[in-house]
Amino acid sequence: MKLLFLGDVMGRAGRAAIVSRLAGLRSSLGADFVVVNAENATSGVGLSPGHAEAILSAGADVITLGDHAFDQKDMLQFIERETRILRPLNFAKAAPGSGARVYATASGRKVLVAQVLGQVFMKRPFDDPFSAIDGVLKAQRLGAGVQAAIVDMHCEATSEKMAMGHWCDGRASMVVGSHTHVPTADATILAEGTAYQTDAGMCGDYDSVIGMEKGEPMRRFITGMSKGRFTPATGDATLCGLFVETDDKTGKATAVRMIREGGRLSPSA
Ligand SMILES: [Fe+2]
Ligand SMILES: [Fe+2]
């Protein structure tokens, strides 16, 4: 199976790139299943139902969220109706929606998608992501109940993401990081067959500070004072993510490739 994961869609620039270019990228890769992280798609904070529908219509099979899952309040109700959107497994206990689900591809193959939040350097304390994902991977065995499994590890620390990759190794087709908005150059297949990248990077304008217009974040770093709000940068976005090919019998990865397309980042080969 061919799986594509795209990192955090950032504001209008990220949405515009998804709407205008995801279908072409999907068909040029021959992707069977596409997951897009969209926790920052609406003004950089959260995801509105309308923007979720636009991203799904553009070619995403599933949307994952993150620590910004419910920054747009309408998502609290919408996620109960739209099963193609996942919030983190280990979000607040009372949160609506689900953190893991099994989906079917057009050809009927089953794909598990799950998202967990890390604990290191995050603004709020979340439950242990390692035990949370363990239960899901034990219930949905790769190569048995599901033909592929995609885990989105949403957090700051590279160390915590790498540990999650190894924790899921051989039990997921792909473990990919999101949240930092900068792609790491470490796409690999781990020892037991799980494709891994510490962070997919964002789908956004890289002439920015992690997707925001440079002025205000620079002012806060340089002067220690804020003058205005953060607003997403509006230049042409780079689509960033990870493309993985799997063996349908085992669900393990046979090939992995980083994707960087359009915008200011150097393109992937
Ligand atoms: Fe993000
Ligand atoms: Fe995040």
Side-chain angles (χ1 to χ4, degrees):
M1 209 178 312
K2 293 178 177 172
L3 310 171
L4 174 66
F5 179 93
L6 292 177
D8 309 36
V9 175
M10 186 66 195
R12 181 185 301 269
R15 295 195 318 267
I18 291 286
V19 166
S20 62
R21 302 188 335 242
L22 177 56
L25 182 63
R26 181 176 181 138
S27 73
S28 72
L29 293 170
D32 299 295
F33 201 78
V34 176
V35 177
V36 176
N37 183 297
E39 70 150 358
N40 307 108
T42 299
S43 311
V45 283
L47 177 65
S48 71
H51 293 160
E53 281 168 348
I55 291 167
L56 291 165
S57 302
D61 293 297
V62 171
I63 290 173
T64 55
L65 295 170
D67 51 314
H68 291 289
F70 301 111
D71 286 0
Q72 300 290 324
K73 296 301 168 215
D74 291 350
M75 185 53 67
L76 288 163
Q77 290 83 40
F78 190 70
I79 198 168
E80 299 277 27
R81 298 205 305 274
E82 180 48 85
T83 56
R84 293 175 294 174
I85 303 176
L86 295 175
R87 47 81 172 163
L89 262 178
N90 54 335
F91 209 77
K93 294 253 186 314
S98 174
R101 270 204 185 88
V102 176
Y103 300 91
T105 67
S107 62
R109 288 173 289 184
K110 288 185 177 167
V111 181
L112 168 70
V113 184
Q115 183 183 51
V116 282
L117 277 164
Q119 296 177 300
V120 179
F121 303 139
M122 300 299 283
K123 283 196 187 108
R124 289 200 287 132
F126 297 106
D127 286 348
D128 169 25
F130 292 87
S131 58
I133 197 69
D134 192 53
V136 171
L137 296 177
K138 281 179 174 155
Q140 303 294 342
R141 300 253 178 203
L142 192 60
V146 295
Q147 281 75 59
I150 299 169
V151 176
D152 173 358
M153 173 57 163
H154 193 85
C155 64
E156 292 282 1
T158 51
S159 54
E160 192 177 17
K161 287 172 168 170
M162 289 185 97
M164 181 58 73
H166 294 302
W167 178 239
C168 300
D169 190 14
R171 305 195 286 164
S173 310
M174 172 192 315
V175 174
V176 60
S178 56
H179 177 76
T180 73
H181 296 196
V182 179
T184 56
D186 60 341
T188 186
I189 298 174
L190 301 174
E192 300 300 325
T194 296
Y196 173 79
Q197 183 183 9
T198 297
D199 204 295
M202 67 171 169
C203 295
D205 175 8
Y206 279 80
D207 181 17
S208 68
V209 173
I210 61 169
M212 294 294 183
E213 284 285 356
K214 293 173 283 194
E216 179 61 20
M218 288 181 67
R219 184 178 301 114
R220 292 192 198 182
F221 280 118
I222 293 161
T223 69
M225 290 177 277
S226 61
K227 199 172 153 194
R229 297 173 45 158
F230 288 149
T231 53
T234 56
D236 195 18
T238 304
L239 295 180
C240 284
L242 189 65
F243 178 64
V244 176
E245 296 185 52
T246 63
D247 179 320
D248 255 3
K249 286 204 186 69
T250 65
K252 295 185 182 184
T254 56
V256 61
R257 180 149 66 91
M258 292 184 282
I259 301 294
R260 293 185 307 276
E261 190 271 329
R264 298 182 76 91
L265 288 197
S266 64
S268 49

